[in-house]
Amino acid sequence: ITRGRRAMYVSAACLYIVCRQEKNSVMLIDFTDVLRVSVFKLGATFAKLVNLLNLQLPIVDPSLYIARFAGMLQFGDKTQQVIVDASRLVQRMDRDWIRTGRRPAGICGACLLIAARLHNFRRTQREIMQVVKIADTTLRRRLDELRLTPSGNLSVSDFRGLWLEQSADPPAFTNNRIKARRAMLAQQEQQQQSESTETPLQRLARTGNHLQTQEGNPTNNTETGDEQINVVDFDGNVDRAFAEEFASYLQAESLKFITSDMANDDFNPDVSTWSDMDDDEVNNVILNDEEVRTKTEMWDRENKEFMEELERKRQARELDEGARKRRKQTRKKVALPGATPLESAQNMLATRRLSKKINYEVLGKLLGNQGSKPKVGPAHAGMIPSGAPSRMISVAGTPMYGSGYTTPT
């Protein structure tokens, strides 16, 4: 079990297990303060040992830590009274399902803060947080959960002399009910707003969608809101809704002049015969050449930087495409295989420089170059450097003495 784990972590976890079994007021974070290690690493070792050893540890009672934290907060002669009120608050929170699933430090911090205020001790939340070693969010959340219970509405005298038999619902259950209630109210408000702005056609479409989900006899009546809608009369309702929709549309102020002209007997649909059209209004929309030039200059001046950036990108793209084409046209040097290994080696030396540190001219003189020019591919014959023929060509036709090969004739 201890293999692969630090002895310091294992020892601290074993000591904390004993403290839990003996119901001591020592917390796991106290061991981390002494050892200067992470509480999560020590907690992981503790949980691993408990699972491997199948230990059944008792649930931590927050009342065990009340006296210890109260002594650290220095209440003086009223320390015992503060401890009694804080322990009573712990019992009340346990009855209201606040303690279940919560760490004992948060419960102790909230109870000690309330008990200190009951005895006129001005202990700030920061002081409580430093003593019990919790975050401010945890402390405020425990206080809010206690405020929503019936005990949170009691006065000081009622709290000390009255014990409520009723218990509140768990905080998680209460929060879920509050969220569900808010969601339902928001949905109802949204539905009311949509119904207030709903047209007859939209209302009829919503009714039709509801009717499609009904099963059984089509002559049955279906309730939608405060109305009784018959499935058989659905087509008639569609016609009436269309009529109402188009009537409301044609009665708009913007369309009155159209309906009045169409109602006249002398209405001519030929546009060329209409005399109420003003050509000046149409001409004002069309720009002349001077106005077009002026607006073009204004646009170019306002978008000068954008056009310059666009031109730079176009030039860079053209350069990139040209370099890409040149790279595609470049071909690798290929040496044709020779009739003998010596000739193949000579062709390879002619098309590929092995090293810059080799003086090919001196090498050719040492080998007594008397041969012909090496053979390379017809498409790559021009790749032999023209500026140094004495280096590469001389080496290519030089036989190697003592190698057993002769220059081919």
Side-chain angles (χ1 to χ4, degrees):
I1 296 176
T2 61
R3 183 176 301 175
R5 296 180 177 85
R6 289 190 176 184
M8 181 173 57
Y9 292 169
V10 175
S11 302
C14 293
L15 288 175
Y16 180 65
I17 291 174
V18 175
C19 294
R20 286 281 298 271
Q21 291 175 345
E22 299 295 332
K23 295 185 179 181
N24 197 294
S25 61
V26 180
M27 303 176 66
L28 184 64
I29 197 170
D30 298 330
F31 290 96
T32 61
D33 291 341
V34 175
L35 300 177
R36 302 293 182 182
V37 296
S38 174
V39 67
F40 298 102
K41 293 182 180 179
L42 187 57
T45 305
F46 162 73
K48 194 70 174 179
L49 290 177
V50 171
N51 292 332
L52 292 177
L53 298 176
N54 295 324
L55 299 177
Q56 299 294 331
L57 298 180
I59 299 176
V60 179
D61 186 4
S63 302
L64 298 174
Y65 307 101
I66 292 293
R68 172 191 169 186
F69 293 145
M72 297 172 64
L73 290 171
Q74 298 178 359
F75 293 116
D77 297 338
K78 293 186 177 181
T79 302
Q80 189 61 33
Q81 299 176 10
V82 173
I83 293 174
V84 172
D85 289 340
S87 300
R88 187 179 180 86
L89 283 169
V90 170
Q91 296 176 2
R92 187 68 248 182
M93 295 176 74
D94 187 18
R95 188 174 181 84
D96 292 333
W97 296 91
I98 300 177
R99 200 196 77 173
T100 304
R102 303 294 196 275
R103 293 183 179 179
I107 302 296
C108 294
C111 294
L112 284 173
L113 181 61
I114 297 175
R117 300 291 174 84
L118 293 178
H119 292 276
N120 298 324
F121 287 103
R122 294 189 59 83
R123 295 293 184 268
T124 62
Q125 294 186 9
R126 183 176 297 275
E127 294 176 351
I128 299 295
M129 289 158 45
Q130 291 176 353
V131 170
V132 300
K133 299 176 181 178
I134 58 174
D136 56 344
T137 306
T138 304
L139 182 59
R140 286 196 296 266
R141 190 170 297 174
R142 297 293 89 79
L143 293 174
D144 292 339
E145 291 173 354
L146 181 62
R147 180 176 54 84
L148 297 176
T149 60
S151 301
N153 300 325
L154 297 177
S155 62
V156 177
S157 57
D158 292 340
F159 173 73
R160 291 175 177 171
L162 180 63
W163 179 260
L164 296 178
E165 295 297 334
Q166 61 179 352
S167 60
D169 294 326
F173 178 77
T174 304
N175 293 335
N176 291 335
R177 291 185 61 184
I178 293 174
K179 291 180 181 178
R181 180 62 178 172
R182 290 176 180 174
M184 185 177 63
L185 293 176
Q187 185 178 3
Q188 291 179 357
E189 183 179 358
Q190 184 179 4
Q191 185 176 2
Q192 291 176 0
Q193 292 178 357
S194 62
E195 289 178 356
S196 61
T197 59
E198 192 176 34
T199 62
L201 287 177
Q202 293 175 347
R203 188 183 308 110
L204 190 61
R206 177 171 54 84
T207 305
N209 293 334
H210 180 71
L211 290 175
Q212 290 178 0
T213 60
Q214 301 297 322
E215 297 179 355
N217 190 359
T219 59
N220 292 336
N221 291 339
T222 305
E223 293 187 5
T224 57
D226 298 329
E227 304 177 83
Q228 293 284 340
I229 300 177
N230 196 301
V231 181
V232 178
D233 297 336
F234 183 71
D235 294 336
N237 294 332
V238 172
D239 296 337
R240 286 193 296 271
F242 270 108
E244 294 176 6
E245 184 75 14
F246 282 116
S248 61
Y249 177 75
L250 294 176
Q251 290 176 2
E253 294 292 335
S254 60
L255 298 179
K256 281 187 177 180
F257 73 95
I258 298 178
T259 56
S260 61
D261 290 343
M262 293 178 66
N264 297 331
D265 296 333
D266 56 350
F267 177 75
N268 190 353
D270 188 5
V271 180
S272 60
T273 60
W274 292 358
S275 60
D276 57 348
M277 294 295 295
D278 191 359
D279 293 339
D280 294 337
E281 296 180 359
V282 179
N283 294 331
N284 290 334
V285 179
I286 303 175
L287 301 178
N288 54 28
D289 296 339
E290 182 65 22
E291 292 175 342
V292 170
R293 185 181 60 80
T294 304
K295 294 195 89 174
T296 304
E297 293 178 355
M298 291 175 58
W299 191 92
D300 293 339
R301 185 168 56 255
E302 293 293 334
N303 301 276
K304 182 179 179 180
E305 296 180 358
F306 170 74
M307 295 301 296
E308 292 177 353
E309 181 67 21
L310 193 63
E311 181 65 20
R312 284 195 297 269
K313 290 182 179 179
R314 186 187 63 79
Q315 295 177 359
R317 186 165 55 252
E318 290 180 355
L319 292 175
D320 188 20
E321 291 178 355
R324 194 175 303 167
K325 290 180 180 179
R326 288 194 297 271
R327 286 196 298 268
K328 288 182 179 179
Q329 294 174 359
T330 304
R331 298 180 180 179
K332 297 177 66 176
K333 300 178 182 180
V334 179
L336 296 177
T340 62
L342 177 59
E343 187 177 353
S344 299
Q346 291 172 354
N347 294 338
M348 185 270 295
L349 290 175
T351 57
R352 181 180 177 185
R353 299 288 298 271
L354 295 179
S355 176
K356 295 180 180 180
K357 298 181 179 180
I358 298 177
N359 191 339
Y360 291 93
E361 185 176 356
V362 176
L363 183 60
K365 292 179 180 180
L366 292 175
L367 298 177
N369 180 21
Q370 298 295 333
S372 60
K373 187 177 180 180
K375 299 179 181 180
V376 295
H380 307 84
M383 294 183 180
I384 299 176
S386 59
S390 60
R391 297 183 185 179
M392 304 183 70
I393 299 175
S394 62
V395 175
T398 302
M400 299 182 63
Y401 294 102
S403 60
Y405 296 99
T406 58
T407 304
T409 59

